[in-house]
Amino acid sequence: DFLIGPQNSVIQTTKGSRPSKQSTLNPDFAAMVTEMLIELEIDSSDKVAVSYTGSYPGANIAVLSALEAIHAEAVIISSCGSSEFGATNSQMTWIDMENYLFVEKVISNRSYYASIGGGHDLGAQLGIEGRKTCEKSIYSNGLELLNIGDLKENTERRMEYYLQHSQGKEISLFINVGGGIYSIGDSFQKHETPPGIIYPGDINSAKNQTISERFLNNDIPVININQIHVLTEWYELPYPPEVKYQNEQG
């Protein structure tokens, strides 16, 4: 199954939780994201900025499905690398999956800009083979490679991309899925940033370093799809999914 990849691979960046990855495959996870969009009153007139990695292909598809359900257009930046049990199959990276769904007309939004991901967004933990696999996947699917290791410069380039490709519409929402270092911050900041809907003023974004902070400081809300065990508890979804179903069946 490509949606739950192997624990270790050439494009695997960090540790990851198998139950978290499994929980995002629950069809109700997409309904949860749709519920958040409705709460924020996002509709077909809105432009949504999205950043996701290969770590939660199920959550990425849930976001794409939710956007499809409300007919919203998105400007998306992907990264190829994945933590354990994500899109770690080097024969079918997240970039490959997304392009397949787009070509098959399952989704109408896709990314056209992508990084390798991982350390410094340049795949610092990966070997040469892993970095080459990601670069090949990005280029072969017709995406532009974002290849900047400097925090400030990378963040600036991402913000420029979102604004340039919003086609004159103001961006109404930023959705982050997973632990992209320039989207949500380092491991400490990731832990300190709550999952779910974050309204401007909810957290201290004074540093203004990450993409999430930039949007919040521009009075744009953020949906943070992270800390899956917390999110599923809030929205009363099973974690991991099969445990609850087994219990219900006795």
Side-chain angles (χ1 to χ4, degrees):
D1 189 347
F2 294 126
L3 294 173
I4 301 289
Q7 181 172 7
N8 304 115
S9 84
V10 294
I11 59 169
Q12 176 249 322
T13 52
T14 55
K15 291 193 175 297
S17 160
R18 190 185 185 108
S20 289
K21 310 297 164 96
Q22 290 170 325
S23 298
T24 64
L25 302 181
N26 179 353
D28 288 339
F29 201 86
M32 175 195 76
V33 179
T34 307
E35 195 176 312
M36 291 185 201
L37 294 176
I38 292 167
E39 187 176 330
L40 289 166
E41 300 182 348
I42 300 295
D43 59 29
S44 58
S45 67
D46 290 299
K47 202 79 174 183
V48 179
V50 178
S51 173
Y52 47 39
T53 71
S55 292
Y56 289 105
N60 296 352
I61 292 169
V63 166
L64 290 166
S65 302
L67 291 168
E68 218 55 46
I70 62 163
H71 307 290
E73 289 185 5
V75 187
I76 306 173
I77 302 176
S78 284
S79 62
C80 168
S82 166
S83 57
E84 294 171 338
F85 308 113
T88 47
N89 189 315
S90 59
Q91 303 301 309
M92 180 62 79
T93 70
W94 165 248
I95 311 291
D96 298 327
M97 290 185 209
E98 184 198 54
N99 188 54
Y100 176 82
L101 293 170
F102 183 79
V103 169
E104 293 295 314
K105 296 186 166 53
V106 176
I107 55 172
S108 56
N109 291 300
R110 60 161 286 191
S111 54
Y112 292 94
Y113 203 30
S115 66
I116 294 172
H120 302 293
D121 209 23
L122 302 174
Q125 311 97 318
L126 307 180
I128 292 170
E129 187 188 350
R131 290 195 290 273
K132 282 189 171 173
T133 298
C134 279
E135 286 180 6
K136 183 182 174 188
S137 177
I138 290 165
Y139 288 132
S140 66
N141 286 297
L143 280 72
E144 185 185 345
L145 175 65
L146 170 60
N147 201 26
I148 301 169
D150 179 74
L151 167 62
K152 191 174 179 187
E153 203 181 329
N154 185 299
T155 306
E156 292 287 353
R157 187 66 199 96
R158 285 169 178 267
M159 292 303 293
E160 282 170 16
Y161 181 84
Y162 286 132
L163 297 175
Q164 283 167 4
H165 292 79
S166 57
Q167 295 167 322
K169 285 188 184 179
E170 284 193 18
I171 290 169
S172 307
L173 170 69
F174 174 60
I175 303 176
N176 172 69
V177 184
I181 187 165
Y182 298 143
S183 297
I184 206 74
D186 59 23
S187 53
F188 174 76
Q189 206 165 351
K190 254 177 262 182
H191 185 70
E192 292 293 305
T193 306
I197 297 172
I198 308 171
Y199 289 95
D202 278 0
I203 61 171
N204 180 3
S205 53
K207 284 185 178 175
N208 203 34
Q209 287 181 331
T210 66
I211 302 297
S212 297
E213 289 173 329
R214 295 285 185 96
F215 279 114
L216 289 169
N217 287 334
N218 285 330
D219 283 331
I220 296 166
V222 169
I223 292 178
N224 183 27
I225 309 293
N226 254 324
Q227 301 179 43
I228 305 300
H229 61 294
V230 176
L231 260 186
T232 50
E233 187 179 334
W234 286 352
Y235 284 86
E236 298 180 347
L237 299 178
Y239 180 92
E242 68 273 21
V243 173
K244 185 173 178 185
Y245 298 147
Q246 284 168 1
N247 290 346
E248 284 174 353
Q249 290 162 3

